[in-house]
């Protein structure tokens, strides 16, 4: 693998993670439990779509075969997507969405703090920008996990269930492959494994305050680095890509 | 048609008329979104930076810039989005902040925003100036604003978040 190929794949993965989570969060539009939360989740979706646009646009430029951020988003099938599986998991109830958001945003806060210093100028610039937004996402999700976890019997039970259900999807965020190793050596990417301890400490602190039990050792889902996904991604894409698939090159 | 050579100052002067579509009392220049203009021959490249990565106003601003330059006879105009350095509310002029306040939006007051969550505890009401205000929601009608209410005059208002 050349440095250019690795950089393309790395940027594509950053873009895919943002795009797929954005699509999931936007499903909450007009379904939020209260108006303020409806606005919050769609605000996050908007931040993420902006991030996806920046990374996928850069990926298309690196690839150099005439793709754009739009063709990358709307013309690839699920096996060509490289987002972590956690991003594509269905929303479930509001607490479930907040738990998923906590796991992802806490990881992203650590990731983008370091990517700000990437030797790739574009990645560093987008990371610096996105970090400001991710801080809000992480703080918001943490507040809700605490409020619901340390809330009523019902809300606590539901949050614990969500934690147990999503936990097996958390480790994939820290998986390293050939792309990561090559770019870490170049000073472009981040050693994801090195972020795990800080991430877990942060989650443990939130869980302690939320009176939520940390899941024990268990099987961890994997596969997205090879384009292998849960059954949910295909359904998500069929909805997201419908218009461009049915009417290719349709424009506003 | 433009008969004399374009100058950067001329183009910047024209573009200073373009308003932020979401806060029409301030211009994109006062907001700090308009970063630079490069003139090469008859080509004019405008460098723009987004406030938030997903700000939906950017598409409208880009179209406004192109339409205005076209009207001024600049045939070859492009708009380039730049991300470095990242936009910050510190680039907003004091004048812009005052216009925003009179418009009913409490402007970001704390420079640097070291701690975004501390900064948002001292937001003053744009209507009566009271410091006795409370957050209703950190997320408002647009990504850049939060919802507040004033405990003195009881008016709800928006706060432009420190960024
Ligand atoms: Zn007031």
């Amino acid at each position: 693998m050349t440095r250019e190929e690795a950089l393309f794949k790395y940027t594509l993965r950053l873009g895919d993670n943002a795009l797929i989570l954005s699509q999931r969060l936007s499903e909450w539009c007009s379904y939020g439990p209260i108006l303020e939360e409806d606005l919050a989740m769609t605000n996050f979706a908007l931040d993420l779509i902006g991030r996806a646009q920046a990374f996928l646009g850069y990926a298309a430029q690196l690839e150099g075969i005439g793709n754009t951020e739009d063709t990358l988003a709307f013309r690839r099938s699920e096996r060509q997507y490289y987002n972590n599986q956690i991003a594509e998991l269905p929303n479930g109830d509001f607490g479930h969405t907040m738990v998923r958001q906590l796991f992802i945003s806490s990881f992203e806060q650590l990731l983008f703090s370091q990517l700000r210093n990437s030797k790739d100028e574009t990645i560093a610039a987008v990371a610096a920008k996105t970090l400001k937004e991710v801080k809000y996402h992480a703080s918001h999700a943490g507040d809700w996990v605490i409020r619901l976890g340390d809330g009523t019997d019902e809300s606590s039970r539901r949050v614990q269930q969500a934690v147990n259900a999503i936990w097996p999807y958390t480790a994939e965020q820290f998986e390293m492959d050939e792309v990561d190793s090559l770019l870490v050596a170049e000073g472009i990417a981040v050693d994801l494994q090195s972020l795990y301890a800080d991430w877990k400490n942060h989650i443990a602190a939130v869980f302690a305050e939320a009176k939520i039990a940390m899941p024990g050792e268990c099987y961890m889902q994997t596969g997205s680095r090879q384009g292998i996904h849960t059954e949910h991604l295909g359904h998500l894409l069929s909805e997201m890509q419908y218009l461009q698939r049915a009417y290719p090159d349709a424009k506003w | 048609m433009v008969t004399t050579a374009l100058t950067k100052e001329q183009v910047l002067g024209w573009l200073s008329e373009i308003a932020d579509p979401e806060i029409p009392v301030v211009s994109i220049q006062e907001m700090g979104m308009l970063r630079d203009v490069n003139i090469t021959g008859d080509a004019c490249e405008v460098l723009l930076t987004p406030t938030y990565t997903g700000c939906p106003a950017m598409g409208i601003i880009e179209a406004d810039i192109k339409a205005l330059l076209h009207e001024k006879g600049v045939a070859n105009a492009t708009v380039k989005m730049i991300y470095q350095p990242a936009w910050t509310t510190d680039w907003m002029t004091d004048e812009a902040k005052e216009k925003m306040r009179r418009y009913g939006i409490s402007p970001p007051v704390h420079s640097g925003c070291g701690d975004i969550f501390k900064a948002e505890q001292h937001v003053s009401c744009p209507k009566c100036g009271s410091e006795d205000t409370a957050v209703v929601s950190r997320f408002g009608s647009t990504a850049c604003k939060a919802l507040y209410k004033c405990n003195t005059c009881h008016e709800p208002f928006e706060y432009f978040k420190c960024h």
Side-chain angles (χ1 to χ4, degrees):
Chain A
M1 189 182 297
T2 65
R3 181 183 168 281
E4 280 63 38
E5 283 165 355
L7 189 55
F8 164 67
K9 288 193 165 176
Y10 191 72
T11 314
L12 191 64
R13 193 203 296 162
L14 289 168
D16 286 351
N17 274 312
L19 179 67
I20 299 302
L21 184 62
S22 173
Q23 178 70 13
R24 275 293 181 231
L25 286 170
S26 69
E27 289 171 11
W28 274 107
C29 186
S30 82
Y31 291 98
I34 49 171
L35 184 60
E36 287 77 8
E37 290 310 310
D38 202 292
L39 286 170
M41 287 186 284
T42 43
N43 265 305
F44 300 160
L46 207 52
D47 290 342
L48 287 158
I49 201 87
R51 192 203 300 169
Q53 196 175 21
F55 280 131
L56 292 181
Y58 185 42
Q61 186 193 322
L62 290 164
E63 190 187 24
I65 57 165
N67 269 318
T68 64
E69 62 262 40
D70 286 328
T71 58
L72 284 178
F74 296 119
R75 303 278 177 83
R76 280 180 301 146
S77 57
E78 59 179 300
R79 291 295 294 261
Q80 295 165 310
Y81 265 83
Y82 295 98
N83 59 281
N84 296 314
Q85 292 174 4
I86 191 171
E88 75 211 28
L89 295 179
N91 287 334
D93 61 24
F94 177 70
H96 196 98
T97 294
M98 286 301 110
V99 169
R100 184 187 64 198
Q101 198 63 36
L102 173 70
F103 289 155
I104 297 177
S105 307
S106 310
F107 161 73
E108 288 185 339
Q109 192 167 343
L110 296 167
L111 173 70
F112 291 117
S113 296
Q114 294 211 8
L115 278 183
R116 272 186 305 177
N117 307 317
S118 170
K119 283 192 176 148
D120 182 282
E121 279 182 15
T122 306
I123 291 179
V126 180
K129 181 109 197 115
T130 212
L131 180 64
K132 294 184 176 192
E133 297 160 3
V134 165
K135 282 182 184 170
Y136 276 102
H137 306 179
S139 150
H140 173 267
D143 285 353
W144 272 109
V145 168
I146 291 166
R147 201 158 147 188
L148 295 170
D150 189 19
T152 64
D153 288 346
E154 167 91 9
S155 68
S156 167
R157 184 178 58 76
R158 289 206 200 187
V159 166
Q160 185 69 60
Q161 270 176 357
V163 165
N164 298 346
I166 304 172
W167 188 255
Y169 294 91
T170 52
E172 203 187 32
Q173 301 189 100
F174 304 90
E175 269 182 26
M176 303 273 287
D177 67 5
E178 198 191 341
V179 169
D180 297 270
S181 310
L182 199 152
L183 296 180
V184 167
E186 297 269 343
I188 292 172
V190 170
D191 180 344
L192 297 171
Q193 290 287 317
S194 75
L195 307 177
Y196 189 74
D198 281 349
W199 177 83
K200 194 155 180 202
N201 286 340
H202 175 71
I203 299 296
V206 173
F207 282 1
E209 212 175 323
K211 303 193 171 81
I212 289 293
M214 178 72 88
E217 290 282 317
C218 67
Y219 173 75
M220 285 291 176
Q221 299 289 339
T222 180
S224 74
R225 297 285 188 275
Q226 292 81 47
I228 297 166
H229 291 277
T230 66
E231 68 271 32
H232 308 295
L233 184 63
H235 294 285
L236 180 150
L237 293 180
S238 68
E239 189 172 315
M240 185 181 87
Q241 297 179 334
Y242 172 77
L243 198 122
Q244 282 297 327
R245 296 285 195 182
Y247 304 96
D249 299 324
K251 290 214 162 42
W252 282 107
Chain B
M1 283 301 294
V2 177
T3 46
T4 52
L6 274 176
T7 67
K8 182 173 171 164
E9 289 66 33
Q10 190 179 23
V11 175
L12 282 170
W14 292 334
L15 296 179
S16 67
E17 292 170 20
I18 293 179
D20 180 328
E22 281 167 357
I23 311 168
V25 290
V26 295
S27 72
I28 56 169
Q29 189 185 38
E30 291 170 312
M31 285 293 287
M33 285 187 257
L34 178 60
R35 300 313 296 162
D36 208 354
V37 167
N38 294 322
I39 311 278
T40 327
D42 67 343
C44 173
E45 183 189 52
V46 179
L47 301 183
L48 203 61
T49 196
T51 51
Y52 280 66
T53 46
C55 181
M58 299 316 287
I60 300 167
I61 295 171
E62 190 176 331
D64 286 350
I65 290 175
K66 284 185 178 164
L68 180 75
L69 292 179
H70 182 77
E71 196 182 293
K72 299 283 184 189
V74 185
N76 189 357
T78 51
V79 176
K80 191 180 170 194
M81 210 62 85
I82 56 166
Y83 292 94
Q84 184 69 25
W87 181 83
T88 158
T89 43
D90 289 352
W91 293 346
M92 283 167 48
T93 61
D94 287 341
E95 203 186 351
K97 288 182 182 177
E98 179 53 25
K99 283 183 191 170
M100 200 179 272
R101 194 190 58 74
R102 272 183 275 141
Y103 186 62
I105 299 170
S106 187
V109 277
H110 290 258
S111 177
C113 330
D115 185 337
I116 47 177
F117 303 117
K118 245 180 216 152
E120 65 186 21
Q121 289 164 10
H122 304 280
V123 170
S124 64
C125 171
K127 308 265 184 341
C128 74
S130 168
E131 293 258 338
D132 184 12
T133 61
V135 190
V136 176
S137 171
R138 263 186 196 150
F139 309 95
S141 57
T142 63
C144 49
K145 286 173 275 174
L147 289 175
Y148 274 71
K149 64 174 179 191
C150 175
N151 291 328
T152 306
C153 73
H154 304 290
E155 280 290 327
F157 66 91
E158 288 188 305
Y159 163 60
F160 198 106
K161 286 182 272 192
C162 211
H163 203 62

